[in-house]
Amino acid sequence: MNNKEKTVRIKKEITRLKKLFSKIEKEKRDSVNSLIENLAFMTVSLEELREIINEKGYTEEYQNGANQKGVKKCSEVEIYNVMIKNYISAFKQLNDLLPREEKVEVDDGFDAFINSRRE
């Protein structure tokens, strides 16, 4: 993916995320724009890394000097692993800023069942 295509995908992701997190209070929303932009960047980058990993595989051969060679985890997998942790953390931060929905009590009959067993 070239830089222009990546920039367009990031902008689309920013729009999607802003819509997703639009219920964050306005005062807080203004301060999280950079978090949303970073999350959008990571989303597109993770997609790009997945494509590379699918093409290249999870491992790569290496050779250090004449006698030391072998197979190691490819660098894209290492980058992916670090970035996915950061992505989850950033997403959780944004999600925690959303207002808590009021819980609705649903009578599923469980309490009545427990009470009837006690009698």
Side-chain angles (χ1 to χ4, degrees):
M1 157 183 356
N2 63 36
N3 285 340
K4 186 176 182 179
E5 182 181 330
K6 189 172 185 173
T7 301
V8 169
R9 288 174 64 184
I10 289 171
K11 286 181 182 179
K12 285 182 182 179
E13 185 64 13
I14 289 171
T15 302
R16 186 186 78 81
L17 289 170
K18 282 185 177 181
K19 190 175 188 180
L20 182 65
F21 293 105
S22 64
K23 292 186 180 182
I24 293 175
E25 296 172 21
K26 182 159 178 40
E27 303 81 39
K28 293 178 183 176
R29 200 174 340 133
D30 293 339
S31 64
V32 297
N33 281 334
S34 65
L35 189 57
I36 287 174
E37 290 172 7
N38 284 319
L39 191 61
F41 171 79
M42 287 188 280
T43 301
V44 174
S45 297
L46 287 165
E47 291 170 359
E48 184 179 27
L49 285 166
R50 275 195 304 265
E51 291 173 12
I52 294 168
I53 293 167
N54 284 333
E55 288 175 15
K56 287 178 61 176
Y58 299 98
T59 59
E60 60 189 7
E61 293 183 6
Y62 72 92
Q63 183 166 357
N64 293 340
N67 297 328
Q68 186 181 13
K69 61 182 177 179
V71 177
K72 67 174 186 163
K73 178 173 39 175
C74 75
S75 57
E76 288 84 3
V77 170
E78 292 179 22
I79 295 167
Y80 184 90
N81 288 339
V82 171
M83 192 175 291
I84 194 74
K85 288 176 187 176
N86 292 336
Y87 173 87
I88 291 167
S89 175
F91 196 88
K92 184 178 179 340
Q93 285 178 324
L94 283 172
N95 199 40
D96 288 346
L97 293 172
L98 288 172
R100 300 287 177 230
E101 299 292 325
E102 289 185 32
K103 292 184 179 182
V104 177
E105 290 283 332
V106 177
D107 184 13
D108 59 1
F110 182 73
D111 290 331
F113 171 75
I114 294 296
N115 292 332
S116 70
R117 302 285 293 175
R118 290 182 180 161
E119 296 174 354

